[in-house]
């Protein structure tokens, strides 16, 4: 099979021929139809996070495809099922986090495209228990971005406890942000989209944003404060400055939800304002298998729209350049 392989953190990814992986007990072999390109894949390929993957490895944790083979003991899926391979590739299933609905916090977890070879290939092996069935009628190229960008932002909205009638600001409209906005609206919120790119703000308007803020020309704190502030600020831009702006945009009792991961791993937030205004700061990491099933169900019901562009797997390095240069409206999906 052909696969995009990270051979070293300081080198471009290489399209190489590899043996089709063999399935073991509890595993499935999936023929990949579509695989999203997430910013996390880029961090992985460049070794930019404190805990680094070990080259050579195959990135990709937004894989969608058809089950071609099942290993011994597999009862969750059958040959021909369409499944998604998310970031949470495996968890122990027995720790306090796993048994209380927080499997994404399992300290023994293994991650697709990071510690497990991922979906930027023609085939991938996955733990059957952690592959999620894609409903009939959902296009694999739309299901791929939902497998990470969708479930990550859906979980952020749930963690924030968004209630009908509240006002939610989305800082960063793109692959994640255009979905976060839709989930907030499904929960009954009025949304404000904040970005530095006019095209992305136009997208937010087309998806139902009540207000947009061009942070390239306007101070977002002043603009949002003039609107009355927000109850929830979800930060998807990987900038400490943006996180600080989001904090200052909150009403009393507001919730700041951190999703993005700034490279320098540090922010400065005022303690007095946080305490006196009763502000809550929350970290939100992807979502569980149950969350992803809900994301797929919403999409199958026509409640969400996925904006994406397709690229060939052979063009992976050019695709990475386009993502880093901000030349992508929302999400890129690779076709093997």
């Amino acid at each position: 099979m052909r696969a995009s392989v990270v051979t070293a953190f300081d080198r471009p990814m290489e399209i190489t021929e590899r043996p089709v992986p063999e399935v073991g007990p509890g595993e499935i072999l999936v023929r990949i139809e579509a695989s999203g390109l997430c910013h996390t894949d880029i961090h992985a390929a460049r070794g930019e996070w404190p805990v680094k993957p070990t080259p050579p490895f195959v990135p990709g944790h937004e894989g969608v495809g058809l089950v071609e083979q099942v290993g011994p003991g597999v009862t969750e899926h059958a040959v021909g099922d369409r499944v998604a391979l998310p970031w949470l590739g495996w968890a122990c299933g027995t720790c306090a986090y796993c048994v209380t609905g927080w499997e994404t916090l399992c300290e023994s977890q293994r991650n697709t495209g990071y510690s497990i070879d991922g979906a930027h290939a023609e085939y991938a092996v996955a733990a059957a228990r952690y592959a999620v069935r894609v409903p009939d009628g959902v296009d694999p190229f739309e299901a791929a971005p939902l497998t990470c960008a969708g479930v990550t932002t859906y979980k952020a909205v749930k963690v924030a406890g968004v209630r009908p009638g509240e006002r939610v600001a989305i800082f960063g409209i793109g692959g994640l942000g255009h979905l976060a906005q839709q989930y907030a609206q499904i929960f009954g919120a009025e949304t404000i989209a904040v970005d530095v790119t006019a095209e992305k703000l136009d997208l937010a308007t087309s998806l139902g944003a009540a207000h947009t803020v061009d942070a390239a020309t306007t101070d977002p704190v002043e603009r949002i404060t003039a609107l009355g502030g927000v109850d929830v600020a979800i930060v998807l831009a990987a900038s400490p400055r943006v996180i600080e702006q989001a904090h200052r945009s909150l009403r009393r009792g507001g919730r700041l939800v951190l999703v993005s991961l700034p490279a320098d791993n540090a922010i400065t937030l005022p303690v007095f304002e946080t305490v006196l205004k009763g502000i809550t700061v929350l970290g939100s990491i992807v979502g569980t298998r149950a969350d992803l099933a809900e994301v797929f169900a919403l999409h199958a019901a026509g409640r969400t729209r996925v904006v994406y562009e397709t690229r060939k797997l052979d063009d992976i390095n050019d695709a990475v350049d386009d993502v880093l240069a901000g030349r992508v409206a929302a999400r890129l999906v690779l076709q093997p």
Side-chain angles (χ1 to χ4, degrees), residues 65-107:
L66 300 173
V67 176
E68 287 219 343
Q69 185 180 350
V70 299
V74 171
T75 58
E76 296 86 356
H77 304 290
V79 171
D81 286 352
R82 176 168 285 123
V83 298
L85 309 184
W87 171 251
L88 184 68
W90 182 90
C92 74
T94 58
C95 70
Y97 300 113
C98 284
V99 300
T100 56
W102 288 97
E103 60 191 22
T104 50
L105 300 182
C106 176
E107 294 184 274

Side-chain angles (χ1 to χ4, degrees), residues 30-181:
V30 179
R31 178 173 60 81
I32 301 298
E33 298 173 291
S35 183
L37 176 61
C38 179
H39 216 116
T40 296
D41 298 318
I42 300 173
H43 291 307
R46 298 185 172 198
E48 293 176 339
W49 283 355
V51 179
K52 305 180 190 307
T54 303
F57 68 94
V58 179
H61 58 275
E62 290 186 343
V64 174
L66 300 173
V67 176
E68 287 219 343
Q69 185 180 350
V70 299
V74 171
T75 58
E76 296 86 356
H77 304 290
V79 171
D81 286 352
R82 176 168 285 123
V83 298
L85 309 184
W87 171 251
L88 184 68
W90 182 90
C92 74
T94 58
C95 70
Y97 300 113
C98 284
V99 300
T100 56
W102 288 97
E103 60 191 22
T104 50
L105 300 182
C106 176
E107 294 184 274
S108 301
Q109 69 182 271
R110 299 172 194 162
N111 302 113
T112 308
Y114 213 85
S115 51
I116 301 171
D117 276 339
H120 289 173
E122 293 179 317
Y123 290 89
V125 160
R129 280 192 299 149
Y130 290 89
V132 177
R133 179 73 182 269
V134 178
D136 293 339
V138 174
D139 186 282
F141 284 87
E142 296 181 353
L146 294 174
T147 301
C148 180
V151 74
T152 296
T153 53
Y154 178 69
K155 187 67 169 186
V157 171
K158 289 179 73 173
V159 164
V162 173
R163 298 184 290 271
E166 290 193 312
R167 181 177 286 158
V168 176
I170 310 297
F171 284 78
I173 301 297
L176 277 77
H178 87 287
L179 291 164
Q181 175 191 326

Side-chain angles (χ1 to χ4, degrees), residues 235-245 258 260-264 266-267:
V235 185
L236 304 169
S239 163
R241 179 169 175 267
V242 173
I243 295 172
E244 292 155 14
Q245 290 173 334
L258 307 182
S260 60
L261 298 169
D264 52 6
I267 57 173

